[in-house]
Amino acid sequence: STRFLINQVVSPVTDAAEVAEKFTAGDLTSRMQVSGEDELASLGRSFNEMASSIQQQIYRLQNLSQLQQRFVSDVSHELRTPLTTMRMAAEIIHDQRGSFEDPALARSAELLINQIDRFELLLSDLLEVSRFDANEAMLDFKTFDLTEVIRKTVDYLHPSKLDQFEISIPSDPVLVDGDPRRIERILRNLIANAIDHSEGKAVRIELAQSDNEVAVSVRDFGLGFNESDATKLFDRFWRADPSRARTSGGTGLGLSIALEDAKLHQGELLAWGKPNAGAHFVLTLPRRRGDLIQSHPIYIIPSDITL
């Protein structure tokens, strides 16, 4: 009958949809029940073969990803000992540079120390990335004053450039539940990037709050970035200006680590930019541990930009 024919067609299609839904949800072992030799049965077998192929590819990629993560972690740890020895030797040479007759040799000693500093920073960032990948990053929650962390970060980074900053933060403490070390690291990355790309212009730092959230924005008026770059900003090792790639700036991991630190706090880190009009980064955090963001005290498009 017509109903029987409809059931013969609809039932396998429904079955395929259910299997596909389970597959999407992560059940990679789910398969269609296949019987007979007709076209629908052939379709079912093809569907199952496709599912098996996808499952194998996913497992292969997962294993490769785990190997890559372990490789980064192992190599980073193994490099620590020789790097410590190199630093000790380099510091001895650096301390004696005043006695060198050749100025080029003294300059080389300074360059050696600088490059070891960069190497240690990269190593530290790689170890942090490996902890994120292994889901081993832990938060040391405390209740702390966010205004104090902002002042400390600015003072630490650029004490000689305080006149370049326009800081707008409340005079009273703004208490937040979080890991102050990680929050300071986020702010240090954002402020250092702003200084690095500001072209000597002002850098604005603002702190705003609501009942449930706090937000810190860092605004510069320098190089900025275009829309195509916006999607890549938080990618590991990506740099907007290849010419700056290995001579200035950080390791290329700073913003990706900052984003992971924000996510650990159930927070958000957003970016806005426009070529030659600067950039605006906004960190939004829930005030209390376990809460989620419900509003944004600082809008991502800067107030000085007319829409």
Side-chain angles (χ1 to χ4, degrees):
S1 68
T2 303
R3 178 175 294 179
F4 175 77
L5 289 174
I6 291 174
N7 285 337
Q8 285 289 93
V9 174
V10 171
S11 181
V13 172
T14 303
D15 188 20
E18 290 176 353
V19 171
E21 189 173 339
K22 291 178 182 177
F23 209 81
T24 304
D27 181 6
L28 303 182
T29 61
S30 184
R31 298 290 186 273
M32 287 181 63
Q33 295 292 329
V34 178
S35 60
E37 298 294 334
D38 57 13
E39 289 82 355
L40 288 172
S42 177
L43 179 64
R45 280 189 286 271
S46 296
F47 184 95
N48 287 343
E49 288 173 5
M50 178 188 69
S52 296
S53 177
I54 293 173
Q55 181 184 18
Q56 291 172 5
Q57 291 291 339
I58 289 174
Y59 284 158
R60 186 184 307 169
L61 289 171
Q62 286 176 340
N63 290 334
L64 179 60
S65 177
Q66 289 170 358
L67 285 172
Q68 289 174 332
Q69 292 168 15
R70 182 171 296 178
F71 174 78
V72 169
S73 178
D74 290 350
V75 168
S76 299
H77 279 98
E78 288 296 325
L79 285 172
R80 284 208 156 197
T81 301
L83 185 58
T84 301
T85 305
M86 288 170 59
R87 168 165 285 284
M88 292 172 61
E91 285 178 346
I92 292 173
I93 296 172
H94 187 262
D95 290 343
Q96 299 296 320
R97 70 189 185 284
S99 62
F100 298 155
E101 295 182 3
D102 186 354
L105 195 57
R107 177 59 179 155
S108 295
E110 293 177 359
L111 290 174
L112 178 60
I113 282 290
N114 289 338
Q115 291 306 311
I116 287 178
D117 287 342
R118 288 174 58 82
F119 196 176
E120 287 184 330
L121 180 61
L122 174 60
L123 202 56
S124 175
D125 283 352
L126 283 172
L127 285 169
E128 191 63 35
V129 164
S130 70
R131 281 191 281 269
F132 283 128
D133 288 341
N135 293 318
E136 292 178 353
M138 302 294 289
L139 288 177
D140 183 13
F141 267 99
K142 297 176 183 176
T143 300
F144 64 95
D145 179 8
L146 188 54
T147 66
E148 187 62 31
V149 172
I150 293 173
R151 292 190 185 94
K152 176 183 174 184
T153 305
V154 171
D155 289 344
Y156 174 85
L157 280 173
H158 296 283
S160 63
K161 297 184 178 180
L162 288 179
D163 57 342
Q164 189 175 348
F165 290 102
E166 297 175 4
I167 302 176
S168 176
I169 58 178
S171 55
D172 295 330
V174 175
L175 299 180
V176 181
D177 292 339
D179 187 333
R181 181 185 69 87
R182 292 182 183 276
I183 300 302
E184 182 180 346
R185 182 165 63 187
I186 296 173
L187 297 177
R188 190 178 296 183
N189 269 302
L190 299 183
I191 297 171
N193 281 347
I195 287 289
D196 200 27
H197 295 87
S198 67
E199 303 292 286
K201 299 174 185 175
V203 172
R204 291 179 182 169
I205 301 173
E206 180 184 356
L207 169 59
Q209 57 184 318
S210 61
D211 290 340
N212 189 65
E213 298 87 15
V214 293
V216 182
S217 67
V218 179
R219 169 83 164 110
D220 71 78
F221 299 88
L223 298 174
F225 54 86
N226 57 42
E227 289 185 11
S228 63
D229 290 343
T231 59
K232 307 169 189 171
L233 280 177
F234 298 100
D235 290 351
R236 294 173 183 177
F237 296 111
W238 185 84
R239 293 171 186 265
D241 184 356
S243 66
R244 300 161 60 90
R246 296 294 173 258
T247 58
S248 66
T251 63
L253 291 168
L255 284 178
S256 66
I257 291 175
L259 180 61
E260 295 290 348
D261 279 337
K263 288 180 177 177
L264 283 176
H265 287 82
Q266 303 296 316
E268 290 182 0
L269 180 57
L270 303 177
W272 172 94
K274 195 173 183 180
N276 300 315
H280 188 226
F281 287 82
V282 179
L283 170 67
T284 308
L285 300 168
R287 296 175 69 99
R288 290 167 290 274
R289 182 176 184 175
D291 285 357
L292 298 176
I293 292 173
Q294 300 172 16
S295 65
H296 294 80
I298 299 178
Y299 191 43
I300 184 58
I301 299 178
S303 56
D304 57 270
I305 297 295
T306 55
L307 298 177

